[in-house]
Amino acid sequence: MPKLTYRPDPPTARVLAAIAASDAPPYSAFTPDEARAQMHRAGEVGDLAPIPVAHVSDRTIPGPGGDLKVRLYDPVPEAAGPRPLTLFFHGGGFVIGDLDTHDTIARALAHHSGAKLMAVDYRLAPEHPFPAAFDDAIAAFDWLIANAREIGADTPRLAVAGDSAGASLSIAVARHARSKDIALKAQGLLYPVCDLSKTYASEAEFARTPPISTDVLDYFWGHFLGPSRTPELLRDLRLSPMLDPDLSGLPPAFVLTAGLDPLRDEGEAFAERLIAAGIETQYFCVTGTIHGFLRMGKLIPSVEDTLKAAGTFLGRQLVSEAA
């Protein structure tokens, strides 16, 4: 990757200054329920207005721990026949986040791709620690393959996408699909978590940068992994797909990073691994901003162009073959 310069752009600098001036506690200062409520409050301040799409509906599908809530989006009115679809997983460190906190991202990806989207409300820690979220993600994908016709999805034209923790789930689903010889059309990885086995330079450089300082990351991993957080577990390929010796056969990838994000370097390294494996990969770094910025569109104007780029990539892979 070319050498980039990482310093706050003016909108991000204003956001960071406002956070510092507010003396607001980080997520790690809250109980999980309080942190979930705080994530909703943050969205009220920062989220873009929801993009209208033609159809939105909620339903449940069976999961390994009980029914899973999903939300279906379709940007195309009165469409006939099966349609391409993206399976989407929200972020939040496996502890916070839900269908509502990431509704604007889901809508934008559906709108800009021109494809259906199914967002999954997987189980969260600490109530449901590792590997519950991954089990739910795989179950949602398997349900989709078995029931695509019911929701008007075209199984030869499926993609996965997610942000942060949700990107980890997306990679796991892509690897699962590969193991079943199911060819996905794309994977959209938005500031992904993809290697817990080591510490990268960006993690040390931005250890105190909100919203996911080192303390917050430790808080999430502590709840998700608990006392089982051993070096051996951190090398599990669900948590650290970077360690997969062979990434060939995975779908074309859009990999987004933020320049001031502790996760930046592992996202970039994963994109480099995909490229080396011969996977069509678009690496997109927004150099002057922070992790989680996609939920700050009222404050950081680059969000709209970034979501458009991600959705357009998905659409190019999914919709270009539509009849």
Side-chain angles (χ1 to χ4, degrees):
M1 301 295 178
K3 182 67 176 177
L4 301 174
T5 300
Y6 307 107
R7 63 172 63 93
D9 57 36
T12 300
R14 289 192 289 271
V15 169
L16 291 173
I19 292 172
S22 71
D23 202 28
Y27 284 118
S28 53
F30 298 111
T31 67
D33 280 340
E34 291 169 342
R36 292 163 191 161
Q38 175 61 22
M39 190 179 207
H40 279 272
R41 288 192 292 268
E44 292 170 2
V45 173
D47 251 337
L48 288 169
I51 295 176
V53 296
H55 303 286
V56 180
S57 62
D58 290 353
R59 63 167 294 166
T60 61
I61 63 173
D67 285 348
L68 297 172
K69 292 187 292 185
V70 300
R71 183 167 293 166
L72 294 159
Y73 302 81
D74 192 343
V76 179
E78 306 302 328
R83 303 273 315 293
L85 180 143
T86 299
L87 185 63
F88 177 78
F89 303 100
H90 67 78
F94 302 104
V95 175
I96 60 178
D98 56 36
L99 298 178
D100 292 331
T101 60
H102 286 65
D103 179 71
T104 58
I105 296 176
R107 286 170 175 269
L109 293 179
H111 171 76
H112 291 300
S113 69
K116 288 174 172 280
L117 184 143
M118 186 173 92
V120 180
D121 197 20
Y122 55 89
R123 289 173 291 169
L124 299 176
E127 297 89 343
H128 306 285
F130 176 83
F134 288 92
D135 292 344
D136 288 354
I138 297 300
F141 176 77
D142 288 345
W143 181 90
L144 176 59
I145 293 298
N147 298 275
R149 183 179 298 275
E150 179 182 340
I151 60 171
D154 186 17
T155 49
R157 291 182 290 157
L158 299 178
V160 289
D163 71 300
S164 196
S168 291
L169 300 177
S170 297
I171 299 168
V173 168
R175 294 179 63 251
H176 171 72
R178 181 183 63 175
S179 76
K180 300 293 185 181
D181 293 324
I182 299 171
L184 297 180
K185 290 297 185 183
Q187 53 183 329
L189 309 178
L190 311 178
Y191 30 75
V193 183
C194 41
D195 192 0
L196 298 189
S197 71
K198 59 181 282 189
T199 299
Y200 288 78
S202 57
E203 189 174 343
E205 183 178 0
F206 301 108
R208 297 187 178 182
T209 302
I212 55 163
S213 63
T214 299
D215 287 348
V216 173
L217 286 171
D218 286 344
Y219 169 82
F220 287 148
W221 296 131
H223 282 307
F224 187 50
L225 302 178
S228 62
R229 186 168 39 161
T230 62
E232 181 180 9
L233 178 64
L234 298 182
R235 295 180 63 83
D236 186 297
L237 295 185
R238 288 168 291 184
L239 298 170
S240 297
M242 184 78 74
L243 303 184
D244 188 337
D246 183 11
L247 296 180
S248 63
L250 292 179
F254 180 93
V255 182
L256 168 71
T257 62
L260 314 181
D261 183 354
L263 303 180
R264 183 197 70 213
D265 286 355
E266 64 189 83
E268 180 177 329
F270 193 68
E272 290 173 342
R273 284 281 325 278
L274 290 170
I275 292 168
I279 307 302
E280 178 187 348
T281 302
Q282 181 178 346
Y283 177 65
F284 193 99
C285 181
V286 184
T287 58
T289 198
I290 56 179
H291 189 88
F293 78 102
L294 294 177
R295 297 183 64 249
M296 304 177 191
K298 289 179 186 174
L299 310 172
I300 299 176
S302 59
V303 169
E304 292 190 71
D305 286 343
T306 304
L307 288 172
K308 182 177 181 180
T312 298
F313 180 90
L314 294 171
R316 187 167 66 247
Q317 305 298 327
L318 285 167
V319 181
S320 60
E321 297 181 15

